[in-house]
Amino acid sequence: MKQLMLGNAAVARGLYEAGCRFVSAYPGTPSTEIPECAATYKEIYAEWAPNEKVAYEAALGAAFGGARSFCSMKHVGLNVAADPLFTSSYTGVNGGMVVAVADDPAMHSSQNEQDSRHYAIAAKLPMLEPSDSAECLEFTKLAFELSERFDCPCLLRTCTRVAHSQSLVELSDRVEHMLKPFERNPVKYVMMPANAIKRHPAVEQRTADLVEYAESAAINRVEMGDTEVGYVTSGTGYQYLRECFPNASILKLGMVNPLPVKLIADFAARVKKLIVVEELDGIIETHLRANGIRVDGGKDIFGPCGELSQNRIRAALGMKLPEFVSFDEPVPQRPPALCPGCPHRGLFFTLSKLGVTVMGDIGCYTLGALPPLKALDTTVCMGASISGIHGFNTVRGAESAKNTVAVIGDSTFMHSGITGLVDIVYNKGVSTVMILDNSITGMTGHQQNPTTGKTLKGEDAPAVSLEKLCGAVGVKRVRVCDPYALDELKAIVSEELAADEPSVIIARRPCMLLPEVKAAPALVVDKDKCVGCKLCMQIGCPALSFGDKKAHVDPTLCVGCELCTQMCRVGAICKREAK
Ligand SMILES: Cc1ncc(C[n+]2csc(CCOP(=O)(O)OP(=O)(O)O)c2C)c(N)n1
């Protein structure tokens, strides 16, 4: 049976068909739907882990335990999981293990655009790269075979366009894989120096074996056509090239690490010019040059930044671009914004009014950096707000501690914030940390996390108590407040900043978009009372606009949170019945 499927859903289908039993993941765009879809198969145990390192280690443990296992993450998640990644290359697996990593060229939803192929090279692991949904399914199944045949985790690299586009896949039945026995083998599984040193040559031999496999693997495919120019490509590059040049000669690499040498050299010999088309870094190109294969075009014409596209390829090769219908009027910009009723809004307004320095983190609350709130001063990676404030305050002294806060979401705190808090307590730091607890992992689209009381499969689970956790690591001042109550919030932040010991403020209110949260009726502006002072506009609510010297509430957007009511000094924004 054929079915139209999202790339991520096709990877999940591949897990099902390959007999995978264990999935552990941490959400991250554009990879999140893989575990979500995998969880819909009753044959697969699937869970959210608190972070990618835990997900990786759990999947590795399941593979040691003899099952086919899987974990997934976005590209920056692989940084978090890098420690077990490298050493699992030495231990190898028992049951097959596949690791999906989704890159985000053009940074649709990421803080950088790193190229995950570097990890495959550095960790000496095989990496497959599908270019459509059918290959997502097929390559996932193949990745398990390679993992077991070469005794190592196998990486599967996707990117936003492959993960989030739909194409046809052919469905097959699941093939069960019984648990393999776990046989004690310390030399293989206990990576202390005396054992690991013996494993390293095995890793090198495996790379040589994988290169040999890559030379004749069916997923490294030569499609001969016009021999004036030959293109070496992988992933999305293949799709764009085929659309631009239906008759071109293309070497499509389905396996992007390790790369074949003879296959590419033979292909190069059959074409007059050789051009390498790859997104982000020039990894294939460098490999070709290192092996003495002539490259006539690559990163010098395409550059290493952003996504490729049909027109970018055409433009880089000096071709005429197809004509497009264009609008006479420019399309208005729609920058991302905190939703109406978002519990983070009042908090950032308060911090902005207090004029404090805010060490930010990654989540919906990163949008607090945008105007008019403009409340964030730093954002690096998940968890960096808390460890960052510790370093910042330590070098800048007591005055800084009275004027600086760290803000972090509930999911991010569980991911990697807790260790930063331990650092503060242990090293006698004095910093104020605010946990923005909206009871969900909001940014990536409402995934459960250890504080929410639900699992990925939708079952009830014990919820980690943030206040008890912070107390247990030694924070004596833990306050809980409602971020909708602006005056109370301001008072609490001021008190905690003045304290001479570490403190945590948990600003708790569920995300307005959660199905169980009911919106209040939309507010209205009493035009007679509104003096046009624009104070209400300072909170940057998308439901508020200003025109004809008066504020307006869009009733289709307003959820009645009454933050604007608290801003208005003349009582002009009120509930409908109060007007
Ligand atoms: C290492 C890493 N993993 C995953 C992500 C993707 N990601 C961005 S924000 C976020 C979590 C946000 O949830 P939370 O901290 O609860 O804040 P909210 O968005 O709900 O305000 C995730 C998983 C990332 N940026 N980096």
Side-chain angles (χ1 to χ4, degrees):
M1 190 179 72
K2 283 202 164 145
Q3 199 173 311
L4 195 62
M5 259 195 194
L6 204 65
N8 280 343
V11 173
R13 178 74 198 185
L15 298 176
Y16 167 77
E17 293 182 8
C20 175
R21 287 166 177 246
F22 183 95
V23 169
S24 187
Y26 184 71
T29 311
S31 70
T32 312
E33 297 82 3
I34 306 176
E36 288 177 334
C37 293
T40 64
Y41 296 102
K42 67 176 186 335
E43 294 82 354
I44 302 178
Y45 168 87
E47 64 170 31
W48 289 127
N51 67 34
E52 293 86 352
K53 174 171 148 62
V54 174
Y56 192 101
E57 290 159 348
L60 185 62
F64 285 169
R68 284 195 160 186
S69 77
F70 174 82
C71 66
S72 63
M73 57 205 70
K74 67 183 290 164
H75 61 306
V76 284
L78 199 52
N79 301 337
V80 179
D83 201 2
L85 173 86
F86 278 73
T87 302
S88 64
S89 174
Y90 280 38
T91 61
V93 293
N94 181 24
M97 174 171 167
V98 175
V99 181
V101 54
D103 286 3
D104 187 17
M107 292 179 270
H108 296 280
S109 187
S110 304
Q111 68 268 37
N112 72 25
E113 37 176 21
Q114 71 192 40
D115 188 326
S116 294
R117 292 177 296 171
H118 291 292
Y119 273 108
I121 297 167
K124 307 185 180 193
L125 289 171
M127 179 180 255
L128 310 185
E129 185 177 20
S131 57
D132 61 17
S133 298
E135 288 188 351
C136 281
L137 194 162
E138 191 192 319
F139 285 17
T140 300
K141 288 162 75 171
L142 176 65
F144 278 112
E145 283 169 30
L146 296 182
S147 168
E148 284 165 3
R149 173 165 162 196
F150 292 96
D151 190 15
C152 57
C154 183
L155 293 155
L156 185 79
R157 180 203 192 208
T158 66
C159 65
T160 309
R161 298 294 167 186
V162 171
H164 283 172
S165 60
Q166 302 201 44
S167 55
L168 279 182
V169 300
E170 178 86 46
L171 305 186
S172 313
D173 291 336
R174 176 174 169 94
V175 177
E176 280 302 342
H177 283 260
M178 289 302 117
L179 274 192
K180 291 185 178 172
F182 174 68
E183 281 155 20
R184 287 195 84 206
N185 187 351
V187 175
K188 182 170 186 292
Y189 295 126
V190 182
M191 284 303 93
M192 54 204 240
N195 293 338
I197 210 152
K198 295 186 195 121
R199 293 292 298 168
H200 190 178
V203 171
E204 298 304 327
Q205 180 56 49
R206 181 180 70 214
T207 299
D209 296 345
L210 278 161
V211 172
E212 208 179 306
Y213 169 81
E215 294 289 2
S216 57
I219 57 168
N220 291 333
R221 189 170 75 221
V222 174
E223 297 173 4
M224 286 315 286
D226 178 3
T227 53
E228 278 304 302
V229 184
Y231 298 93
V232 184
T233 190
S234 70
T236 48
Y238 173 75
Q239 303 288 3
Y240 301 142
L241 276 170
R242 264 288 159 250
E243 213 173 305
C244 297
F245 311 108
N247 301 320
S249 293
I250 296 180
L251 168 52
K252 178 188 183 300
L253 295 165
M255 186 166 185
V256 288
N257 192 62
L259 290 167
V261 181
K262 284 195 237 88
L263 182 70
I264 302 176
D266 288 352
F267 178 72
R270 292 165 75 185
V271 292
K272 290 205 184 116
K273 269 171 84 176
L274 195 76
I275 293 185
V276 182
V277 178
E278 56 190 322
E279 226 157 32
L280 299 180
D281 296 336
I283 289 174
I284 302 173
E285 180 181 347
T286 306
H287 177 79
L288 265 58
R289 291 192 196 280
N291 283 285
I293 299 170
R294 186 198 77 244
V295 177
D296 300 296
K299 286 296 136 188
D300 53 338
I301 50 174
F302 298 111
C305 305
E307 282 183 309
L308 292 175
S309 67
Q310 297 85 332
N311 277 355
R312 194 162 149 197
I313 291 175
R314 288 189 183 105
L317 296 175
M319 289 170 65
K320 195 167 166 287
L321 301 187
E323 279 183 18
F324 283 100
V325 179
S326 63
F327 299 105
D328 294 337
E329 296 290 327
V331 179
Q333 293 266 308
R334 289 202 305 157
L338 295 171
C339 306
C342 174
H344 303 334
R345 173 172 288 105
L347 188 130
F348 284 121
F349 174 74
T350 304
L351 297 179
S352 170
K353 281 290 148 199
L354 286 170
V356 292
T357 301
V358 180
M359 314 287 286
D361 222 291
I362 312 247
C364 289
Y365 45 92
T366 314
L367 296 172
L370 301 173
L373 297 164
K374 293 201 243 171
L376 290 194
D377 294 288
T378 65
T379 293
V380 182
C381 63
M382 291 189 82
S385 59
I386 306 188
S387 13
I389 196 175
H390 177 60
F392 193 83
N393 285 344
T394 301
V395 297
R396 298 185 73 81
E399 266 321 293
S400 170
K402 305 234 170 302
N403 200 27
T404 308
V405 299
V407 293
I408 186 163
D410 47 326
S411 183
T412 307
F413 184 74
M414 295 309 300
H415 177 280
S416 47
I418 182 71
T419 39
L421 194 62
V422 170
D423 190 34
I424 292 176
V425 174
Y426 168 51
N427 290 303
K428 296 184 271 183
V430 182
S431 290
T432 305
V433 171
M434 303 189 72
I435 305 178
L436 282 57
D437 179 10
N438 59 358
S439 314
I440 202 74
T441 312
M443 185 75 165
T444 38
H446 283 184
Q447 288 73 37
Q448 305 297 337
N449 71 54
T451 70
T452 62
K454 289 270 179 211
T455 67
L456 169 56
K457 290 258 188 187
E459 291 153 11
D460 288 337
V464 172
S465 155
L466 287 169
E467 40 278 56
K468 283 193 187 152
L469 183 58
C470 295
V473 304
V475 179
K476 297 197 186 76
R477 301 181 69 96
V478 181
R479 312 271 304 259
V480 180
C481 66
D482 178 357
Y484 274 4
L486 292 183
D487 290 341
E488 187 199 349
L489 183 66
K490 192 170 166 196
I492 290 180
V493 175
S494 304
E495 279 167 35
E496 295 313 312
L497 279 170
D500 287 327
E501 57 177 305
S503 65
V504 172
I505 303 169
I506 303 171
R508 177 167 291 147
R509 185 171 266 274
C511 170
M512 193 63 226
L513 299 180
L514 284 170
E516 60 271 25
V517 177
K518 295 282 166 268
L523 302 169
V524 287
V525 177
D526 185 334
K527 302 280 174 207
D528 298 334
K529 286 191 185 162
C530 178
V531 293
C533 68
K534 289 195 189 171
L535 270 180
C536 56
M537 300 301 292
Q538 291 184 12
I539 54 170
C541 177
L544 284 171
S545 59
F546 195 81
D548 294 334
K549 299 191 178 148
K550 303 281 177 190
H552 299 271
V553 173
D554 181 341
T556 62
L557 291 177
C558 178
V559 294
C561 75
E562 296 188 41
L563 222 56
C564 54
T565 311
Q566 297 176 63
M567 303 293 299
C568 183
R569 299 225 177 103
V570 294
I573 312 181
C574 41
K575 293 183 182 153
R576 189 166 288 277
E577 65 274 19
K579 190 184 165 237

